[in-house]
Amino acid sequence: MIPMKINPISIWGHGQLLCFSGVDGPTSYHDGLCLRTIATADSQADGPQIRVMLPATLTLHFGSQPISACDLASDHFAMESAEGSWRGAFLDAWHLLIEGPLRIEGSDPRLKVRQEGERTLIAVSEHSRAGKITADLDAAIAARRLWADSHIKRLGIDHLPTAVKAVRQMKGQVYAPEGIFQRRWTTPDRWPHRGCWLWDSAFHALGLRHCDPALARDAIAAVFDGQQPDGMVPIRVNPGGTTSAQYTQPPTLALAVWGIHSMAPDPAWLRGLLPRLEAYLVWDERNRLSDHGLPCWAIEANPNCRSGESGLDNASRFDTATRMEAVDFASFLALEWELLGKMHEQLDNADAASRAHERCQSINTGIQQRLWDDSRGFFYDWDVEGQAFCPVAAVTGFLPLICGAASPQQAQQLFSQLENPDTFGTTLPLPSVARNDPSYTPDMWRGPVWVNMVYLVALGCERYGRADLALRLRSGMKAEIERWQHRCGTFFEYYDPDGSTPPDQLKRKGKLAPETSPYNQCFHDYGWTATLYFDMLLSREALLPPVTRS
């Protein structure tokens, strides 16, 4: 057994991702190594495993006994069981060096495995350098630890296991400049998503700003590396320039820019970015507005992803409508114009600020007048073709709070819904669909709780003077994230509003079938769960100003 002192701050559990970070050097979207811990019920008989997922598949077996202690980061690890101890670190994007007794299962010509004594080098064949098996592993581990450890120490969170996990995971989400990306960029997860997604990047930046404002700026600016000549920002972009250019995603970039600039002002960066931000909002309005001036998401025929553009892929509000004025799209768009106006004010661009505030007010008026159903006391989407409110009471009905669209009377009715256990005041508040709605089911956006919605609605409560509700929402969400991270070691994509079903047992797009597809199980080590948890943990001041009435 290799003698080592392990700080057992991590939890050995299934689905944790390991990779080389763009914080430390070049990465490769196409053939960089990415591994995943395997700790399912089916795998327990074979002992602890880490599986290479990219660029090919290979399984590493760490004995047959359970892991008793581990310190597991996204790019290095140390762990032990009754049989032995192991440690490892990425040397670069294509080489992983491990010390300790290993059994290798499988082979693939895209990967090379070299073993000498108790050392194992896993390498991508095209980049393999056999001599790296003698590399200084102590130095490699120290180098991999540097960025995360420095921020963990500076922020005084080294005693908080979930916060430590968040910083380490955030590091792993970062790619280096590559292809069309001129700067570092982030992804929801290095497997299987991998690409750069619009609103995910915004939520990533809000967490990263606490550690590394320059990296947070990069995460946002990189999204604009994929902006189209007409101003459109696609839902997703890859380094090769591959996009889903027919679809965008919720406009949230101004929110992230506002958050970064409020914490670490950089007028030059802001001045260079605002024209691109405005072009993207103008594109949304030119291409998505109804005749009444409210935006409509693109809706697809795919029954498991009726509106990927909305970010709420399988939400039941999209089940029957083919075109609807969307309360979430309108609220996001109004808030973006409001924040754009405030940032123009800071740069003394009075005319641009006035135009932005006018657009915000116009959309807010439309939300208040067209999307409020007085008979049910809630905001709903409007089915343009059916000329009726959407029947589904969704969490998106609270989003007019973030942009100031709700009247004081409407806001009070929304607060009542937040405290009603039959609708949204569940054990873990804010299910994506009201608990008593006929369409509710524990499947992705058809029922479970998502941290980004809790985050946004809490901001809205604060704007309307209900800091008590905001605190309750954030505290409940943080506690649930911590509870499952302490048990499973990971940040899940979404959570059970009843607080009873483990997140990895919730359906995704109609199925719970991870053996068939990674897209049919709640994702592990999910990007914005970590970053927004981190922002809620550390933020001490309200991100948005109070709503004012003229």
Side-chain angles (χ1 to χ4, degrees):
M1 182 181 294
I2 301 168
M4 63 177 71
K5 183 179 180 181
I6 297 176
N7 176 14
I9 197 166
S10 306
I11 301 298
W12 174 261
H14 183 68
Q16 300 184 71
L17 298 173
L18 296 94
C19 54
F20 187 79
S21 172
V23 168
D24 286 346
T27 55
S28 175
Y29 174 84
H30 297 286
D31 64 1
L33 285 170
C34 181
L35 295 85
R36 189 179 196 229
T37 58
I38 306 297
T40 62
D42 292 340
S43 70
Q44 286 182 3
D46 294 328
Q49 304 166 35
I50 297 180
R51 184 168 297 156
V52 180
M53 307 304 297
L54 296 169
T57 303
L58 196 71
T59 303
L60 316 179
H61 291 265
F62 296 81
S64 60
Q65 297 299 309
I67 297 298
S68 56
C70 74
D71 186 2
L72 179 66
S74 63
D75 52 8
H76 67 276
F77 63 88
M79 57 192 190
E80 64 184 14
S81 75
E83 288 182 293
S85 57
W86 300 265
R87 62 181 188 151
F90 281 86
L91 306 179
D92 54 34
W94 305 278
H95 294 86
L96 172 64
L97 181 60
I98 301 171
E99 279 186 351
L102 278 185
R103 178 172 66 87
I104 308 295
E105 178 187 351
S107 64
D108 190 289
R110 290 168 291 180
L111 297 172
K112 284 191 176 180
V113 178
R114 184 178 180 87
Q115 292 186 295
E116 292 183 5
E118 288 206 327
R119 281 200 163 199
T120 301
L121 182 68
I122 310 293
V124 177
S125 296
E126 187 175 342
H127 305 273
S128 178
R129 300 292 182 269
K132 286 184 177 287
I133 198 167
T134 63
D136 186 336
L137 187 53
D138 289 325
I141 292 172
R144 298 296 80 82
R145 295 187 69 105
L146 184 61
W147 184 89
D149 282 4
S150 65
H151 295 301
I152 289 166
K153 181 178 180 180
R154 176 179 59 82
L155 295 168
I157 56 173
D158 54 326
H159 62 296
L160 303 173
T162 308
V164 170
K165 166 70 179 179
V167 175
R168 290 170 160 187
Q169 182 181 307
M170 285 192 285
K171 183 187 178 188
Q173 293 169 221
V174 179
Y175 282 101
E178 180 181 359
I180 70 165
F181 295 114
Q182 301 174 36
R183 64 217 89 218
R184 297 168 296 179
W185 55 285
T186 66
T187 185
D189 42 67
R190 294 285 284 269
W191 179 90
H193 274 111
R194 302 175 63 202
C196 178
W197 297 72
L198 192 163
W199 76 327
D200 295 79
S201 298
F203 294 137
H204 298 164
L206 287 167
L208 283 168
R209 66 191 178 128
H210 294 277
C211 289
D212 190 338
L215 180 53
R217 293 188 197 101
D218 279 355
I220 295 303
V223 178
F224 287 101
D225 288 338
Q227 189 171 29
Q228 305 299 293
D230 61 358
M232 193 258 199
V233 177
I235 181 174
R236 174 183 53 85
V237 183
N238 295 333
T242 303
T243 70
S244 300
Q246 70 271 42
Y247 302 120
T248 185
Q249 229 180 8
T252 47
L253 296 173
L255 174 63
V257 172
W258 174 261
I260 297 165
H261 189 69
S262 298
M263 181 168 286
D266 186 338
W269 179 71
L270 195 64
R271 190 172 289 108
L273 207 57
L274 289 194
R276 305 191 75 172
L277 268 173
E278 185 159 352
Y280 129 82
L281 299 181
V282 168
W283 184 92
D284 275 345
E285 297 203 337
R286 286 177 177 169
N287 292 273
R288 294 292 188 265
L289 290 190
S290 71
D291 292 342
H292 293 280
L294 291 178
C296 304
W297 297 119
I299 297 179
E300 311 164 47
N302 182 347
N304 287 319
C305 190
R306 290 275 290 160
S307 186
E309 179 169 276
S310 73
L312 282 63
D313 302 12
N314 71 334
S316 51
R317 50 197 275 255
F318 299 114
D319 283 354
T320 57
T322 56
R323 181 170 172 78
M324 63 188 191
E325 294 171 344
V327 64
D328 49 345
F329 201 167
S331 300
F332 287 132
L333 194 58
L335 177 61
E336 293 282 288
W337 280 118
E338 178 189 354
L339 296 179
L340 189 71
K342 291 183 180 299
M343 290 184 283
H344 274 305
E345 288 171 353
Q346 292 186 7
L347 298 177
D348 296 323
N349 299 331
D351 290 343
S354 178
R355 290 194 302 271
H357 288 309
E358 287 175 6
R359 288 302 308 134
C360 170
Q361 186 56 50
S362 175
I363 298 168
N364 276 349
T365 299
I367 293 171
Q368 187 179 125
Q369 294 179 355
R370 288 187 57 77
L371 302 184
W372 177 259
D373 183 355
D374 201 43
S375 67
R376 292 183 284 178
F378 201 64
F379 286 102
Y380 291 85
D381 305 306
W382 177 259
D383 186 336
V384 174
E385 295 182 353
Q387 287 295 292
F389 284 115
C390 170
V392 177
V395 66
T396 48
F398 292 99
L399 293 182
L401 294 171
I402 67 172
C403 60
S407 69
Q409 296 76 22
Q410 290 168 342
Q412 287 305 314
Q413 293 188 65
L414 293 179
F415 299 145
S416 295
Q417 294 278 12
L418 276 175
E419 298 183 284
N420 182 350
D422 294 330
T423 55
F424 294 96
T426 43
T427 301
L428 178 65
L430 281 180
S432 43
V433 173
R435 191 65 179 84
N436 63 356
D437 193 281
S439 69
Y440 175 93
T441 186
D443 177 357
M444 202 179 179
W445 286 105
R446 304 176 77 88
V449 177
W450 290 70
V451 65
N452 63 332
M453 288 295 138
V454 173
Y455 180 90
L456 291 165
V457 175
L459 290 179
C461 291
E462 263 180 345
R463 297 203 76 180
Y464 279 80
R466 288 302 303 272
D468 59 320
L469 273 179
L471 177 62
R472 192 184 313 168
L473 290 174
R474 290 174 181 139
S475 297
M477 190 76 253
K478 287 187 295 183
E480 189 71 354
I481 289 171
E482 290 167 355
R483 178 166 79 100
W484 288 105
Q485 192 277 326
H486 293 167
R487 184 177 299 185
C488 302
T490 190
F491 289 98
F492 288 103
E493 189 181 16
Y494 45 84
Y495 297 81
D496 176 28
D498 297 331
S500 57
T501 303
D504 61 359
Q505 296 303 304
L506 298 171
K507 291 181 180 179
R508 195 176 193 278
K509 298 191 175 181
K511 297 180 182 178
L512 176 60
E515 70 283 356
T516 301
S517 168
Y519 296 95
N520 287 136
Q521 184 183 37
C522 179
F523 285 124
H524 301 54
D525 270 17
Y526 192 66
W528 75 39
T529 305
T531 59
L532 294 180
Y533 164 82
F534 200 65
D535 188 70
M536 290 190 295
L537 181 72
L538 294 183
S539 290
R540 297 292 179 265
E541 297 180 2
L543 179 59
L544 301 176
V547 168
T548 56
R549 298 289 169 190
S550 56

